[in-house]
Amino acid sequence: RERFLDPAGAAEPGIASTQLWLMPVSGGEAIPLTAMPGDVNDIAWSPDGKQIAFLSVDPQSPQEKQAIAGGANWTEIDGDRHFSRLWILDLASHAARRISPEGVNVSAMDWSPDGKRMALRVADTTRINDFFYHSRLVLFDPANGTIGKTVLENAAEGPFWSADGRYIAFAGTDG
């Protein structure tokens, strides 16, 4: 699936959202890069500087929007939420494509120094206990969108690749 930049459609009128912008170091005007229906939560430049990976939460359904408009404004603490998906924005074309694997919530990511792999922190649900106690650290191929080896069960923080690509730093729990 591809999304093309449409800053006018970034959010519903009157509703703020967090999006990805680009600002030249030398100064000037910020350039909007995304117009996702959900907030952009995390970003990571590819090592070659040609792409930016980011996380964005799935948008609300029409039924959810209607319920909220009708006063349903509560949050169930350990209830199901919207999945956070991994996207890659190509800076040359300004096209973003979702590369997130189905059935997993992605909460953190980092590129390998060679740009050929990513390390992801994923969980099978969006429930808070799965986020804190049952996330796992996996290797991911951004070219074909497949999850490879599980590096760690019960990942609590990370991943962070070492500059030489030989190690991944993380924090874990005993489960």
Side-chain angles (χ1 to χ4, degrees):
R1 298 180 216 170
E2 292 194 359
R3 267 187 84 74
F4 294 93
L5 179 64
D6 178 14
E12 294 179 41
I15 298 176
S17 68
T18 303
Q19 298 295 321
L20 181 59
W21 294 71
L22 184 66
M23 174 79 75
V25 175
S26 59
E29 293 297 316
I31 302 163
L33 295 179
T34 60
M36 304 301 293
D39 287 341
V40 171
N41 297 317
D42 196 10
I43 62 172
W45 284 93
S46 64
D48 65 8
K50 295 179 181 179
Q51 301 176 96
I52 300 175
F54 64 92
L55 302 179
S56 183
V57 176
D58 287 343
Q60 294 175 336
S61 70
Q63 295 83 1
E64 290 170 312
K65 289 178 184 179
Q66 185 178 15
I68 291 168
N73 60 355
W74 59 86
T75 299
E76 185 180 341
I77 296 302
D78 197 28
D80 292 320
R81 300 174 195 271
H82 292 275
F83 273 67
S84 178
R85 309 290 185 172
L86 177 62
W87 293 73
I88 292 190
L89 173 74
D90 178 77
L91 290 168
S93 67
H94 286 250
R97 62 185 171 92
R98 189 182 112 181
I99 63 168
S100 208
E102 285 297 324
V104 294
N105 187 59
V106 182
S107 58
M109 55 38 192
D110 195 21
W111 291 93
S112 65
D114 65 6
K116 294 180 180 175
R117 295 181 294 169
M118 297 182 82
L120 306 179
R121 181 177 174 215
V122 300
D124 294 329
T125 76
T126 59
R127 293 181 174 263
I128 197 162
N129 281 332
D130 286 342
F131 172 79
F132 283 112
Y133 303 112
H134 304 292
S135 289
R136 60 192 181 282
L137 197 65
V138 298
L139 296 181
F140 179 73
D141 184 338
N144 64 25
T146 58
I147 291 179
K149 177 182 178 182
T150 296
V151 177
L152 174 75
E153 296 286 343
N154 304 318
E157 187 67 38
F160 306 100
W161 283 90
S162 65
D164 64 6
R166 293 177 47 205
Y167 302 99
I168 300 173
F170 59 86
T173 66
D174 290 336

